[in-house]
Amino acid sequence: AQSVTQLGSHVSVSEGALVLLRCNYSSSVPPYLFWYVQYPNQGLQLLLKYTSAATLVKGINGFEAEFKKSETSFHLTKPSAHMSDAAEYFCAVSVKGAQKLVFGQGTRLTINP
Amino acid sequence: DTAVSQTPKYLVTQMGNDKSIKCEQNLGHDTMYWYKQDSKKFLKIMFSYNNKELIINETVPNRFSPKSPDKAHLNLHINSLELGDSAVYFCASSQGGIVSYNEQFFGPGTRLTVL
């Protein structure tokens, strides 16, 4: 079975600083990996996904993530945080034929002015 | 032009009552899902339907009964509500059925509070 662990339930950065949200996965077969963002009182929105093509994936709003098989990681980064990035971020994993996403526990990102 | 819509947005009810949440998607997708997000923001799949057929039932109590009248709708009926059912319920949809890497589009959520 697949699983995802997000390190840090809460990350706080200053506006303009680097954002790094950590995600490690466990899967016995090649995974598909996703980052979703949830703004307050809203549903989830896809930021980016890895589906076995390029290991560096670029998403919306300036976010990107790198798939590292050796480290079983898929960390999310953004070079310069903006106040509007404050939200809950979820890493998720799926595999071929699984028909479902398994989510991590989420990381709340706070941006300090 | 909302892609995935849910009604109601908020639902407050007493223990033991029966309630329904409705979900509609206008994306032409063939697969729909129900997720439960608890108070700690943990998100877990409950059900998925592909072309109106139940594909996933994740050990959810049988008090929860999904119904898919057509591909665009997936409703969730809950009998004999319990305090532990309080959560935010999200509907989602995707295209491609068993293709596991397609994006899921989420509705805005229904916050259920059981008193």
Side-chain angles (χ1 to χ4, degrees):
Chain A
Q2 306 83 249
S3 66
V4 164
T5 301
Q6 291 182 240
L7 298 175
S9 59
H10 185 202
V11 170
S12 182
V13 302
S14 298
E15 191 174 17
L18 172 71
V19 174
L20 170 61
L21 304 182
R22 299 178 188 272
C23 172
N24 287 88
Y25 70 90
S26 173
S27 176
S28 57
V29 296
Y32 304 128
L33 294 160
F34 305 78
W35 276 100
Y36 280 82
V37 60
Q38 184 181 23
Y39 297 105
N41 299 313
Q42 293 187 29
L44 280 72
Q45 178 184 359
L46 182 69
L47 275 177
L48 49 81
K49 65 179 181 182
Y50 166 77
T51 58
S52 76
T55 56
L56 182 61
V57 182
K58 294 187 185 299
I60 61 172
N61 301 339
F63 284 94
E64 62 181 38
E66 186 171 8
F67 172 70
K68 291 187 177 180
K69 185 178 177 180
S70 60
E71 298 177 9
T72 61
S73 69
F74 191 58
H75 302 331
L76 181 71
T77 60
K78 181 174 180 177
S80 177
H82 192 272
M83 296 298 291
S84 60
D85 294 327
E88 192 88 21
Y89 290 79
F90 293 91
C91 184
V93 64
S94 183
V95 298
K96 187 176 180 180
Q99 298 177 294
K100 67 176 183 180
L101 289 173
V102 174
F103 284 88
Q105 68 272 41
T107 297
R108 184 159 59 97
L109 177 63
T110 301
I111 311 297
N112 302 313
Chain B
D1 60 343
T2 304
V4 182
S5 59
Q6 296 179 226
T7 54
K9 190 167 175 62
Y10 300 96
L11 187 52
V12 181
T13 187
Q14 299 287 332
M15 267 197 313
N17 285 351
D18 303 338
K19 291 293 178 185
S20 291
I21 306 171
K22 295 187 176 182
C23 177
E24 177 181 3
Q25 54 94 4
N26 62 6
L27 298 167
H29 289 166
D30 59 7
T31 305
M32 296 185 72
Y33 311 80
W34 277 110
Y35 287 88
K36 179 180 180 181
Q37 186 175 47
D38 64 22
S39 58
K40 296 185 177 179
K41 298 283 188 177
F42 183 63
L43 199 65
K44 192 174 191 307
I45 190 167
M46 300 173 69
F47 302 103
S48 81
Y49 270 73
N50 176 249
N51 286 318
K52 302 194 301 172
E53 288 192 24
L54 180 66
I55 303 298
I56 291 174
N57 181 341
E58 284 285 305
T59 60
V60 176
N62 57 16
R63 297 183 296 104
F64 291 78
S65 52
K67 280 191 169 56
S68 182
D70 55 57
K71 285 198 306 182
H73 295 85
L74 180 61
N75 303 323
L76 184 65
H77 187 76
I78 315 170
N79 290 327
S80 303
L81 278 155
E82 300 177 356
L83 292 176
D85 298 333
S86 295
V88 181
Y89 292 84
F90 287 100
C91 177
S93 72
S94 68
Q95 179 62 27
I98 62 171
V99 178
S100 309
Y101 52 75
N102 285 345
E103 177 181 359
Q104 292 187 18
F105 291 78
F106 284 77
T110 295
R111 182 175 294 277
L112 171 65
T113 302
V114 182
L115 304 174

